[in-house]
Amino acid sequence: MTQPHLVNMQGVSKSFGGIHAVKGIDLTLDAGEVVAVLGHNGAGKSTLMKMLAGAYQRDLGDIQVHGQSVALSSPAEAHDLGIETIYQTLALADNLDASANLFLGREIAWRFGPFRVMDQARMRDQTAQVIARLNPHFDALDVPCRSLSGGQRQTIAIARALQFDARILIMDEPTAALGPHETAMVADLTRRLKSQGLGIFLISHDVHDVFDLADRFIVMKGGQEVGSGRISEVTKDEVLGMVIMGRCPAQIRPGPGASMLDEHGAQT
Ligand SMILES: Nc1ncnc2c1ncn2[C@@H]1O[C@H](COP(=O)(O)OP(=O)(O)O)[C@@H](O)[C@H]1O
Ligand SMILES: [Mg+2]
């Protein structure tokens, strides 16, 4: 028997009132793979990923994780399945250090009757270990996060996801708030996580950000698939054409969101 996909979404749809934010999307992810989810603002990328993260409930469709259909009715259920999300906002508590941020809301504590005592040493130790997996040179463990660079903050955000044994990582526009140097650092982190066997959905509206990192891609437009395939079978310009005009190159099977050419060769 072949190995089930890490994630297998079939016919996933979500509407908000009259807006079809996501319509009939099929998408898979395997371990050690980076799949880029591309499209303009409003294409439905975040909504699709929020259904996988348990933040939104799908209206239609099936989502399997490790070959099992799952409800994903809450973020807690997604966490238990090893699904973690990193948002562009780099949401960290500025007044707390790395370790406090990693364990925020999930602290390790000893119980003495009615009292809870935080096990600071153990949390710092585990923080140091998980950050070393990402960046052996990270030297800002004990300072408040407000004094960290964007790249260091992103390291902590990713470490937080890894800390809880993420197998599936959703990175929603992870470099949108970062400069070029820090963007390169996040790219480096992404490669490292991939080599450790995580499956990664990398969401972006910018083809340039993800083209060199991704193994496969899907382009969305108006909630639908324009097309999908392996990065090795397309050029960057072809993917740009898919994002901007919804035009599928000949070697890619068009999805329902692809725009068709009329008899004069114009986009419809
Ligand atoms: N919570 C919501 N309530 C109403 N409409 C929403 C909500 N979230 C997203 N949408 C709408 O769904 C569509 C897709 O949005 P989104 O998934 O955020 O796109 P993307 O991440 O590709 O920019 C947009 O039209 C957006 O306005
Ligand atoms: Mg988005």
Side-chain angles (χ1 to χ4, degrees):
M1 214 185 95
T2 53
Q3 192 82 349
H5 294 293
L6 195 51
V7 177
N8 188 351
M9 300 194 233
Q10 294 293 324
V12 172
S13 300
K14 174 80 183 170
S15 295
F16 297 104
I19 300 170
H20 289 290
V22 171
K23 205 171 168 186
I25 293 290
D26 301 339
L27 188 60
T28 63
L29 177 71
D30 290 316
E33 187 180 47
V34 176
V35 173
V37 181
L38 290 158
H40 274 315
N41 286 330
K45 308 179 298 294
S46 293
T47 301
L48 179 67
M49 290 298 133
K50 282 178 181 171
M51 287 188 271
L52 180 60
Y56 288 164
Q57 306 310 302
R58 60 190 181 271
D59 299 332
L60 287 173
D62 184 44
I63 300 181
Q64 294 188 353
V65 175
H66 302 296
Q68 303 283 321
S69 289
V70 288
L72 295 169
S73 50
S74 68
E77 187 187 343
H79 286 147
D80 289 346
L81 290 164
I83 302 167
E84 293 278 349
T85 309
I86 291 160
Y87 295 102
Q88 67 183 50
T89 46
L90 310 181
L92 297 175
D94 273 337
N95 53 323
L96 301 178
D97 66 12
S99 159
N101 266 284
L102 247 68
F103 286 93
L104 200 61
R106 303 187 248 191
E107 289 86 356
I108 301 175
W110 297 101
R111 271 175 209 285
F112 295 105
F115 302 106
R116 274 161 56 83
V117 179
M118 299 301 164
D119 191 340
Q120 304 289 0
R122 191 153 149 229
M123 289 193 281
R124 190 188 183 285
D125 206 46
Q126 288 192 16
T127 300
Q129 276 181 33
V130 70
I131 287 183
R133 265 173 78 186
L134 296 170
N135 177 2
H137 308 294
F138 191 94
D139 59 359
L141 268 183
D142 298 307
V143 298
C145 285
R146 86 166 65 82
S147 54
L148 300 183
S149 70
Q152 287 174 319
R153 293 170 70 89
Q154 194 61 293
T155 302
I156 293 175
I158 293 170
R160 182 174 156 86
L162 284 184
Q163 173 65 31
F164 299 98
D165 282 333
R167 307 285 315 281
I168 298 158
L169 198 58
I170 300 167
M171 301 175 82
D172 195 343
E173 312 263 4
T175 60
L178 304 183
H181 173 73
E182 297 175 330
T183 298
M185 187 171 153
V186 171
D188 200 53
L189 284 179
T190 307
R191 289 193 188 94
R192 202 176 283 249
L193 296 171
K194 171 184 151 75
S195 74
Q196 293 176 6
L198 274 83
I200 302 172
F201 281 123
L202 188 52
I203 290 76
S204 186
H205 65 280
D206 188 343
V207 175
H208 302 287
D209 271 0
V210 301
F211 197 83
D212 297 328
L213 283 173
D215 301 292
R216 290 190 295 121
F217 69 96
I218 181 170
V219 175
M220 294 175 67
K221 196 166 197 260
Q224 294 183 306
E225 177 186 332
V226 172
S228 60
R230 304 201 67 79
I231 286 285
S232 57
E233 61 185 340
V234 286
T235 65
K236 215 182 254 187
D237 280 347
E238 285 172 333
V239 181
L240 275 171
M242 293 174 77
V243 171
I244 296 167
M245 287 172 294
R247 186 169 57 201
C248 242
Q251 73 277 22
I252 298 287
R253 190 173 53 84
S259 46
M260 299 299 155
L261 299 180
D262 66 18
E263 64 271 30
H264 309 294
Q267 299 280 323
T268 60

